[in-house]
Amino acid sequence: MHGDETVGREILLHLIDFLVTSYGHDPVITRLLNNTRIHIMPTMNPDGFEATKVPDCYYTRGRYNKNGEDLNRNFPDAFEKNNASIQPETQAVMNWIKNETFVLSANLHGGALVASYTFDNGNSVTISSKGYSRSPDDDVFIHLAKTYSSNHASMYKGTGCDNRQSFPEGITNGYSWYQLEGGMQDYNYVWGQCFEITLELSCCKYPPADQLEKFWRDNKVALIEYIKQVHLGVKGQVMDRNGNPIPNAIVEAKGRPHVCPYRTNEHGEYFLLLLPGTYVINATVPGYKSILKTVEITDNTSNFSALKQDFSFSEVSIRSRAASCPKTPLYQQLGRASAAVKPTLHILVLMTVVLAIFK
Ligand SMILES: *[C@@H]1O[C@H](CO)[C@@H](O)[C@H](O)[C@H]1NC(C)=O
Ligand SMILES: *[C@@H]1O[C@H](CO)[C@@H](O)[C@H](O)[C@H]1NC(C)=O
Ligand SMILES: *[C@@H]1O[C@H](CO)[C@@H](O)[C@H](O)[C@H]1NC(C)=O
Ligand SMILES: *[C@@H]1O[C@H](CO)[C@@H](O)[C@H](O)[C@H]1NC(C)=O
Ligand SMILES: *[C@@H]1O[C@H](CO)[C@@H](O)[C@H](O)[C@H]1NC(C)=O
Ligand SMILES: *[C@@H]1O[C@H](CO)[C@@H](O)[C@H](O)[C@H]1NC(C)=O
Ligand SMILES: [Zn+2]
């Protein structure tokens, strides 16, 4: 995402090579690719990379795009109005997210060694007294982040970089680390119906070329195990009596509503990442009686398939209106005392320093 954080783009090129050359040879990769749609974008900020001429472990202006904007502060924010003007790179990614049914993703960075998960921002609705901004899917996010860190060569040790901050088990809630607004991870979760985590892959943002092979080896298993997690939980189709798919139907697990309810895609398909357990899944077409089904979810990721559970409405040709979720601070309407969570000037300054060091 940041042009001067170069390890991620190299690792993704290795990943593409590994996937296409293993297909038909490695049984696990063959089954993974037979059952999974994988999209890989090795760089979101090519201009920033071009502007970063030499290896440099610390922050450079290659972090920003040609217009000097930080792309990971450039997305609509669920908690406060983002005043930054949306950049072409960001708009292209937003179009891509809207156009596809992404379910699980990661965005890659350097400058630290940790798997960080949503929320990056927060308000009185989500922030606990411990300064942790919790999403309704916190358990799933912790599992996803741990899947990455525990399969990485050293991230799980949580020792951090040099004498900087350490992270137990190599994971952290984004807001607990430091608050940011306009990040892609929160955007994907709130508006993209996609669970995304942020992977910080190297203490040095732009290491020398001869270290790249080792970074790939350190991340290879973690990347594959992470991709498998897209098959966590439950998936299916919502149909009418004649078996025609119903797009835009709301499908959510009871007790974990999303601020903008997750809806079926154009094929009537839904995907909900959930840990093993018993859940009530609620399929709703506004104006009709909801269908509730109790499901017993097991970990079927090694079979490359979530549990399948379809929903059939007894009516025909019923429609669910395409309710576009407004790109406004959705949580602001739910929050009351948002002033209480504004960081003090002191903390703000500290955060700016941390920011300059890490990301
Ligand atoms: C993968 O899919 C191909 C094409 O459908 C099929 O021939 C092959 O047997 C599948 N391999 C595995 C391991 O499932
Ligand atoms: C955006 O602008 C409004 C109005 O000037 C201001 O109140 C708000 O704090 C700004 N938001 C951010 C995130 O800076
Ligand atoms: C949207 O998806 C269609 C069909 O897969 C594809 O042709 C088109 O290029 C996509 N557009 C974007 C912005 O990703
Ligand atoms: C099912 O979901 C709909 C839409 O979100 C909601 O209005 C309704 O209260 C839910 N029903 C139950 C029993 O939770
Ligand atoms: C994988 O699927 C098969 C049936 O297709 C089932 O027997 C087996 O228990 C599944 N494995 C796991 C780990 O759930
Ligand atoms: C696990 O996945 C297999 C597909 O390989 C599927 O046949 C089976 O129904 C799934 N089992 C559960 C419990 O989700
Ligand atoms: Zn970064």
Side-chain angles (χ1 to χ4, degrees):
M1 175 171 268
H2 292 127
D4 62 338
E5 298 165 12
T6 58
V7 172
R9 50 184 272 150
E10 278 292 323
I11 284 180
L12 292 179
L13 296 176
H14 277 275
L15 177 64
I16 293 168
D17 179 65
F18 176 68
L19 291 175
V20 300
T21 56
S22 301
Y23 186 78
H25 304 290
D26 180 322
V28 172
I29 300 302
T30 305
R31 287 187 73 198
L32 177 69
L33 290 177
N34 271 5
N35 293 290
T36 317
R37 291 182 68 180
I38 302 173
H39 300 247
I40 299 172
M41 177 176 62
T43 180
M44 183 172 168
N45 183 0
D47 293 339
F49 175 71
E50 293 301 330
T52 311
K53 292 277 185 274
V54 287
D56 186 336
C57 286
Y58 299 96
Y59 153 94
T60 71
R61 70 187 183 85
R63 173 184 182 85
Y64 307 100
N65 76 347
K66 184 77 161 58
N67 296 339
E69 290 288 338
D70 183 335
L71 301 178
N72 206 29
R73 304 290 183 277
N74 200 235
F75 286 83
D77 191 281
F79 299 94
E80 53 189 320
K81 185 177 178 305
N82 190 348
N83 299 320
S85 73
I86 294 182
Q87 298 298 298
E89 296 91 337
T90 313
Q91 190 59 57
V93 167
M94 287 168 64
N95 295 347
W96 192 36
I97 291 168
K98 186 163 182 248
N99 201 35
E100 302 289 339
T101 307
F102 289 123
V103 176
L104 175 72
S105 63
N107 74 79
L108 275 45
H109 296 257
L113 196 61
V114 67
S116 168
Y117 54 89
T118 210
F119 289 118
D120 272 329
N121 205 351
N123 67 7
S124 55
V125 179
T126 62
I127 299 172
S128 73
S129 58
K130 292 193 181 107
Y132 186 113
S133 187
R134 188 181 306 273
S135 77
D137 295 296
D138 195 53
D139 53 350
V140 181
F141 277 111
I142 290 171
H143 166 79
L144 292 171
K146 279 188 184 168
T147 296
Y148 201 90
S149 68
S150 66
N151 285 290
H152 183 278
S154 56
M155 189 185 284
Y156 67 93
K157 293 179 188 161
T159 44
C161 299
D162 304 331
N163 51 4
R164 293 183 226 150
Q165 192 176 350
S166 65
F167 301 101
E169 298 188 71
I171 69 168
T172 184
N173 171 247
Y175 186 92
S176 297
W177 184 12
Y178 62 87
Q179 180 236 12
L180 66 90
E181 110 233 337
M184 185 159 87
Q185 140 175 303
D186 288 1
Y187 177 82
N188 253 309
Y189 176 62
V190 171
W191 282 286
Q193 304 197 169
C194 174
F195 286 35
E196 173 160 299
I197 67 171
T198 298
L199 297 171
E200 300 280 350
L201 298 179
S202 60
C203 293
C204 180
K205 288 180 183 244
Y206 191 163
D210 63 4
Q211 292 181 18
L212 294 173
E213 184 72 33
K214 182 174 188 314
F215 279 113
W216 160 242
R217 286 200 306 273
D218 288 354
N219 285 279
K220 180 178 161 183
V221 177
L223 285 165
I224 299 299
E225 291 304 313
Y226 185 74
I227 294 171
K228 278 189 194 170
Q229 301 308 311
V230 76
H231 299 295
L232 206 60
V234 58
K235 65 180 178 185
Q237 247 185 324
V238 179
M239 293 166 289
D240 71 10
R241 197 177 64 205
N242 293 344
N244 294 316
I246 304 176
N248 305 309
I250 298 168
V251 185
E252 303 244 88
K254 231 181 149 187
R256 43 180 84 216
H258 297 106
V259 68
C260 189
Y262 279 23
R263 290 173 178 264
T264 52
N265 67 12
E266 60 187 308
H267 309 293
E269 295 164 341
Y270 76 93
F271 300 84
L272 293 173
L273 296 186
L274 293 163
L275 298 185
T278 306
Y279 299 86
V280 176
I281 310 298
N282 171 350
T284 298
V285 176
Y288 296 85
K289 194 170 179 300
S290 300
I291 303 177
L292 304 178
K293 284 196 172 156
T294 302
V295 295
E296 197 75 51
I297 292 174
T298 59
D299 182 353
N300 207 24
T301 53
S302 54
N303 264 327
F304 308 99
S305 175
L307 177 70
K308 264 205 98 201
Q309 178 65 68
D310 293 338
F311 291 85
S312 283
F313 280 81
S314 54
E315 297 86 357
V316 285
S317 49
I318 58 174
R319 291 242 169 78
S320 188
R321 246 187 308 125
S324 70
C325 196
K327 302 279 189 304
T328 55
L330 297 167
Y331 276 97
Q332 220 166 50
Q333 291 131 33
L334 301 175
R336 281 148 302 166
S338 62
V341 300
K342 278 270 175 265
T344 64
L345 185 61
H346 175 68
I347 293 174
L348 255 174
V349 171
L350 258 180
M351 285 195 316
T352 311
V353 174
V354 169
L355 218 112
I357 297 169
F358 284 116
K359 306 186 66 195

